[in-house]
Amino acid sequence: MRVLVVEDHLELAESLARVLRREGMAIDVVHDGADALDRTELTTYDVVVLDRDLPGVHGDEVCDRLISRGATTRVLMLTASGTLADRVEGLSLGADDYLAKPFAYSELVARIRALARRLQPPVPPILTHGDLRLDPARRNATRAGMRLTLSPKELAVLEYLLAAQGRVVSSEELLERVWDEAADPFTTTVKATINRLRAKLGDPPLIETVPRSGYRI
């Protein structure tokens, strides 16, 4: 899942990024509305976590312009005011969800995942293939009943491949959807992560390499 965090409070923005990355999400961070608009023109995000009270280009305008572009990105608006009138106004601007500060990170994560599911073909809450079982909400995976010790990025790659339901996924797609803007497109990051994942999954092998195309389960 690719998420853009737009928050002018630097400490909060970095805290949000850390939490969401631990959940296996690919997170980019900007601190003002102008940068948010520029970034969303270059990259397709599943969800934009948007602070409403931004300096410069206000969050309301960012939301309005995203909607007017016809973007499929879901918008979760954050605000310091949680009154009913503010929630109604935020949603009337085209935001898909609205969360008042302060909030629990667990609720934020759940809301982001719920919004992202609206963009994807329906998938079961527990992803399975043979004796492999992955629970995206609890961030754990097992094979033959044994818990797998996976890094957040390995878990995210496995989740993406399982959700693809047998479709071949290219290295470029994995890099775009699982990593963030800091990833170097010319590195062997994806291949190295796949190799580690294969080793941890054990035998019989589950991840197939399709020459010149990508990977699939």
Side-chain angles (χ1 to χ4, degrees):
M1 184 190 316
R2 193 77 181 264
V3 177
L4 177 65
V5 173
V6 189
E7 170 60 62
D8 66 311
H9 190 290
L10 303 187
E11 185 176 344
L12 176 58
E14 290 309 311
S15 179
L16 290 173
R18 284 195 302 272
V19 168
L20 298 178
R21 284 171 182 146
R22 284 201 299 267
E23 293 292 323
M25 302 179 194
I27 306 299
D28 297 334
V29 179
V30 295
H31 304 296
D32 61 67
D35 283 347
L37 291 170
D38 289 344
R39 195 65 60 87
T40 52
E41 284 190 341
L42 298 173
T43 303
T44 300
Y45 293 96
D46 297 295
V47 178
V48 173
V49 178
L50 176 65
D51 180 24
R52 187 174 184 185
D53 304 310
L54 292 171
V57 181
H58 194 270
D60 289 357
E61 183 177 348
V62 173
C63 184
D64 182 65
R65 288 170 65 176
L66 284 174
I67 300 303
S68 66
R69 286 179 192 168
T72 59
T73 300
R74 301 298 182 181
V75 177
L76 172 57
M77 190 171 281
L78 305 179
T79 181
S81 176
T83 66
L84 176 59
D86 283 315
R87 292 198 302 272
V88 170
E89 185 177 0
L91 294 171
S92 70
L93 292 167
D96 298 280
D97 202 355
Y98 195 93
L99 191 58
K101 301 175 183 176
F103 49 81
Y105 284 159
S106 57
E107 181 180 5
L108 176 69
V109 169
R111 287 175 181 261
I112 290 173
R113 291 194 178 282
L115 289 176
R117 282 197 296 271
R118 299 182 192 177
L119 297 171
Q120 307 299 330
V123 296
I126 305 297
L127 301 171
T128 61
H129 182 87
D131 61 356
L132 176 64
R133 183 179 186 276
L134 188 150
D135 185 337
R138 291 181 172 82
R139 310 307 298 158
N140 64 55
T142 61
R143 186 166 191 194
M146 300 294 292
R147 179 75 174 264
L148 299 171
T149 304
L150 304 178
S151 71
K153 200 61 68 180
E154 291 162 357
L155 194 64
V157 169
L158 182 59
E159 179 182 353
Y160 199 90
L161 291 175
L162 283 169
Q165 300 179 332
R167 176 176 64 85
V168 177
V169 178
S170 69
S171 294
E172 292 78 14
E173 183 178 348
L174 284 170
L175 198 64
E176 168 72 17
R177 307 312 302 167
V178 178
W179 276 264
D180 57 31
E181 63 182 352
D184 183 347
F186 301 105
T187 67
T188 58
T189 297
V190 173
K191 182 178 180 181
T193 303
I194 290 286
N195 287 340
R196 290 196 304 272
L197 191 53
R198 279 188 173 127
K200 292 182 179 182
L201 290 174
D203 294 319
L206 291 177
I207 302 176
E208 175 189 1
T209 298
V210 181
R212 296 181 296 279
S213 296
Y215 307 95
R216 68 181 169 198
I217 291 181

